[in-house]
Amino acid sequence: MKISGGVEWGLHCCVVLSGATEPVPAAKLAEFHDVSPSYLAKQLQLLSRAGLVRSAQGHSGGYVLTRSAAEITVLDVVEAIDGAESAFRCTEVRRRGPMAAPPERCTTPCPIARVMAAADHAWRESLRAVTIGDLTADVVGTTPPETLDRALAWLRA
Amino acid sequence: MKISGGVEWGLHCCVVLSGATEPVPAAKLAEFHDVSPSYLAKQLQLLSRAGLVRSAQGHSGGYVLTRSAAEITVLDVVEAIDGAESAFRCTEVRRRGPMAAPPERCTTPCPIARVMAAADHAWRESLRAVTIGDLTADVVGTTPPETLDRALAWLRA
DNA sequence: GACTTCCTACTCGGATACTGGCTGTCCGAGTTCTGAGGG
DNA sequence: CCCTCAGAACTCGGACAGCCAGTATCCGAGTAGGAAGTC
């Protein structure tokens, strides 16, 4: 099991966007994080489709958050990029083979699927409890103000 | 993000093994679940390497649980087959690019990595709370005794 | 000087190749049971 | 009747191809800003 690497990029981009006041182009975000511009563009498109960011075309265009960073959870970003379906998919093994369970016995989900679904739920709830605003506050609280100003100035330039 | 399909097979096999009294060959487990024998053998090898099952070779050999089903957690099986490392891997994006954080500022993990690690921990704890014995008890409690007997007899034959 | 027009440059968006890991398969090494043969 | 031994069948274990999702990339469509020209 491996989560898409684009999730990390998307989260970093959201944190950066939460501090910016003007639209930030994808190319600038890519250079800021030193990652592939083309591939990062794909992740930003996913964020755009999910309605987390809005894109502005043309000169001085770029990406902006559609709502306050405190209103965007980490889970929103993860699901936008990595998909919302559970990592575990029950293939209904119990209905196969010589001892296949009859359909009338399968009204409730397989116990295994239930356990995996519960774990998946716990994972998602944990991610839902944290917002991009929380992440930004953490970064702001542990970084010298002059460094933050330099970064914002670099983004503007 | 997608979990290996072998995890589901491994869990089903552990439940079956918890009810068997004699070693069960991989081929029989595969036929019981109607899955590829060769591929299931691979998953059973992983369980064997993790020390969850013990293999017996030769005539009337097969696999047996090494300890009581109540002593084997679902997490044990998942980690044996899917690996124990976290699904999220921090690539230390903050240390790259023109605004790279200096090493002395990276004594604590990146906030993003911390959030993902916490979610991963919640997921694992949820899986650790359930044992194979719990799963077996669920199956036994919701299946007619005669069906259970037929299944055990089929395994023996 | 102000307005209109056009043009350029910049932006995103979707369509297109490539790669690593999961999926699926195979054959060889080792062990246990069985049966025959001899004492 | 018991023991020994050889054979055969069955088991696991690791090594070998195939396929799909994720990775990485590119070029075209569309738009905002700016400069030039005109009134």
Side-chain angles (χ1 to χ4, degrees):
Chain A
M1 182 181 49
K2 198 170 74 69
I3 214 170
S4 167
V7 168
E8 184 183 12
W9 299 5
L11 287 169
H12 274 280
C13 284
C14 283
V15 170
V16 169
L17 288 177
S18 77
T21 57
E22 310 165 13
V24 182
K28 200 165 274 282
L29 285 170
E31 189 184 354
F32 186 88
H33 296 113
D34 188 23
V35 297
S36 160
S38 311
Y39 190 38
L40 181 63
K42 199 187 226 346
Q43 318 302 336
L44 291 170
Q45 278 176 41
L46 292 172
L47 293 179
S48 177
R49 282 186 202 169
L52 300 179
V53 302
R54 174 161 284 287
S55 66
Q57 274 193 336
H59 204 79
S60 74
Y63 288 97
V64 192
L65 295 182
T66 54
R67 51 186 195 264
S68 160
E71 309 268 342
I72 302 177
T73 69
V74 173
L75 180 63
D76 290 331
V77 178
V78 170
E79 290 193 335
I81 293 179
D82 207 62
E85 70 262 15
S86 169
F88 180 84
R89 198 173 65 84
C90 179
T91 60
E92 288 293 337
V93 170
R94 59 181 172 175
R95 293 200 201 182
R96 304 167 58 177
M99 292 294 138
E104 62 265 23
R105 292 213 54 75
C106 299
T107 54
T108 62
C110 174
I112 292 175
R114 245 178 308 173
V115 170
M116 299 304 288
D120 200 81
H121 185 71
W123 183 71
R124 289 188 144 76
E125 284 305 310
S126 183
L127 293 180
R128 194 199 305 279
V130 183
T131 68
I132 300 297
D134 297 331
L135 294 177
T136 304
D138 190 318
V139 172
V140 170
T142 60
T143 308
E146 76 160 25
T147 303
L148 290 174
D149 290 342
R150 274 204 320 161
L152 291 179
W154 186 91
L155 281 176
R156 217 163 330 214
Chain B
M1 182 181 48
K2 198 170 75 67
I3 214 169
S4 167
V7 168
E8 185 183 12
W9 299 6
L11 287 169
H12 275 280
C13 285
C14 285
V15 170
V16 169
L17 289 177
S18 77
T21 56
E22 310 165 11
V24 182
K28 201 164 272 284
L29 286 170
E31 190 184 354
F32 186 87
H33 295 114
D34 186 24
V35 297
S36 160
S38 310
Y39 190 38
L40 181 63
K42 199 187 232 338
Q43 317 304 335
L44 291 170
Q45 279 176 41
L46 293 172
L47 293 179
S48 176
R49 282 185 201 168
L52 300 178
V53 302
R54 173 161 286 285
S55 66
Q57 274 193 339
H59 204 78
S60 75
Y63 287 97
V64 192
L65 295 183
T66 53
R67 51 186 194 264
S68 161
E71 309 268 340
I72 302 179
T73 69
V74 173
L75 180 62
D76 289 332
V77 178
V78 170
E79 290 193 335
I81 293 178
D82 206 63
E85 70 261 16
S86 170
F88 180 85
R89 198 174 64 85
C90 180
T91 60
E92 288 292 336
V93 171
R94 61 180 171 173
R95 292 202 201 180
R96 304 167 58 177
M99 292 294 136
E104 63 264 24
R105 292 212 52 75
C106 299
T107 54
T108 61
C110 172
I112 292 175
R114 246 179 306 175
V115 170
M116 300 303 289
D120 200 81
H121 185 71
W123 183 72
R124 289 186 145 77
E125 284 305 309
S126 182
L127 293 180
R128 194 199 306 277
V130 182
T131 69
I132 300 297
D134 297 331
L135 294 177
T136 304
D138 190 318
V139 172
V140 170
T142 60
T143 307
E146 77 161 25
T147 303
L148 289 174
D149 291 342
R150 273 204 319 162
L152 291 179
W154 186 93
L155 281 176
R156 218 163 331 216

